Amino acid sequence: FFALASGRVTSNMSISWKETWKNKSVIYWMRLSSALSWRHIQKISNLLAKLLLIFPNSFQRITVRNLSLCFPHLTADQQKKICAESLQHQVATLLELGPTWTQSLAVSQHAILQVRNENVLHTKLKEPNGLLLLLPHLGNWELANQYISQQTKVTALYKPGRLEDFSNWVVQSRERFGVRMVPTSVRGVAAAFKALKRGETVVILPDQEAPKANGIFAPFFNIPALTGTLCHRLIQKTNANVLCMFCRRDWDKAGFEMIFIEPDPQIYDEDMEIATTALNKSIENCIVLYPEQYQWSYKRFRRRPNKQPSLY
């Protein structure tokens, strides 16, 4: 399932058979996992995370590497502890996709037990220039999308997957409760600009590696990371307000907590480098609160500036 969900391919099957098999397998798994409760997901995640620690795999390898890069001040034991917890949360993120995409709105909203800084969200929603919400890969970002769709009119940018049938199913699932999904294309970016101009809300997952043409290198945990400039352009052209949000897993209560955090104030700076650095700093400020819930298995530092050697 991990290979399917992450798009990893290890066989030399024909393209048509491979894509058909992956589409059907992933959708089937999502529907099957939709019957799991949050408490069941916690227990299964704990078991599978232990297996990931025992057997060699890319999830563990990349997580270990990213933690050593981003938290060099921590001891080996501290990094090992975060790694073990992170693998459990990353498994939970995958297992939660089925329930999140298929359950009713009532069940979804009932799972959110608390909202932190909700007053900040509503204050910004009342302002006329639109709201840009930064949603890092921290906790359950799919549930966060559902929550915000009930508070305001939302346009969310997404990168279409390579599995067409599965990608279409995901978009339909995400749009069930009112989120308007638009691809990270010229058309989608234009839709995001228009939504902010109308005073609406746009959600962006800002911690993915950007294409070279649309990004610059900016420090992320003091390491140069190819970072998208779209947020800067949206802010400068629309005067939108910015807020960070994420949905924290609460294992003890078998539920979630929505958290809203003000970004680094320099994110509004006209200088692209200053603003993009502030963007990454804003994401860091969210991650350091609950580092074990971040998706550390993503190669955030894959591309290097000035032909520097690979970190992976």
Side-chain angles (χ1 to χ4, degrees), residues 1 3-9 13-32 101 160-173:
F1 168 67
L4 293 173
S6 60
R8 293 179 175 87
V9 180
M13 295 180 293
S14 67
I15 296 297
S16 59
W17 164 245
K18 177 182 63 181
E19 296 304 307
T20 300
W21 176 72
K22 288 174 68 177
N23 269 296
K24 291 183 177 180
S25 297
V26 175
I27 293 175
Y28 175 77
W29 171 259
M30 292 300 170
R31 295 190 185 281
L32 183 65
W101 285 339
R162 288 179 295 178
L163 305 179
E164 185 176 357
D165 290 346
F166 177 61
S167 183
N168 292 337
W169 182 74
V170 170
V171 170
Q172 293 171 6
S173 300

Side-chain angles (χ1 to χ4, degrees), residues 267-301:
I267 201 169
Y268 298 102
D269 200 284
E270 293 181 0
D271 184 280
M272 182 179 292
E273 290 189 12
I274 293 175
T276 306
T277 298
L279 167 67
N280 281 348
K281 184 61 179 176
S282 301
I283 300 167
E284 287 181 36
N285 291 341
C286 295
I287 295 171
V288 295
L289 295 176
Y290 304 99
E292 73 283 355
Q293 298 206 21
Y294 189 63
Q295 187 184 2
W296 292 111
S297 61
Y298 177 67
K299 292 184 178 180
R300 184 64 183 88
F301 310 109

Side-chain angles (χ1 to χ4, degrees), residues 128-130 192-200 237-239:
N129 293 335
F193 275 108
K194 292 177 181 177
L196 289 174
K197 285 288 189 180
R198 292 192 298 266
E200 298 171 3
K237 291 187 178 182
T238 67
N239 292 317

Side-chain angles (χ1 to χ4, degrees), residues 124-133 192-200 202 230-243 267-270:
K124 288 184 179 286
L125 288 176
K126 292 177 182 177
E127 298 180 7
N129 293 335
L131 177 60
L132 179 62
L133 280 172
F193 275 108
K194 292 177 181 177
L196 289 174
K197 285 288 189 180
R198 292 192 298 266
E200 298 171 3
V202 169
L230 176 58
C231 290
H232 173 70
R233 290 186 283 126
L234 288 171
I235 295 167
Q236 291 303 308
K237 291 187 178 182
T238 67
N239 292 317
N241 292 286
V242 185
L243 194 60
I267 201 169
Y268 298 102
D269 200 284
E270 293 181 0

Side-chain angles (χ1 to χ4, degrees), residues 175-239:
E175 290 185 332
R176 286 187 306 143
F177 304 133
V179 177
R180 179 192 179 196
M181 303 298 302
V182 296
T184 52
S185 61
V186 173
R187 179 177 63 84
V189 171
F193 275 108
K194 292 177 181 177
L196 289 174
K197 285 288 189 180
R198 292 192 298 266
E200 298 171 3
T201 297
V202 169
V203 174
I204 290 182
L205 282 78
D207 53 344
Q208 294 176 306
E209 188 177 70
K212 286 185 177 181
N214 300 318
I216 62 173
F217 282 97
F220 183 58
F221 286 98
N222 297 317
I223 302 171
L226 190 55
T227 306
T229 58
L230 176 58
C231 290
H232 173 70
R233 290 186 283 126
L234 288 171
I235 295 167
Q236 291 303 308
K237 291 187 178 182
T238 67
N239 292 317

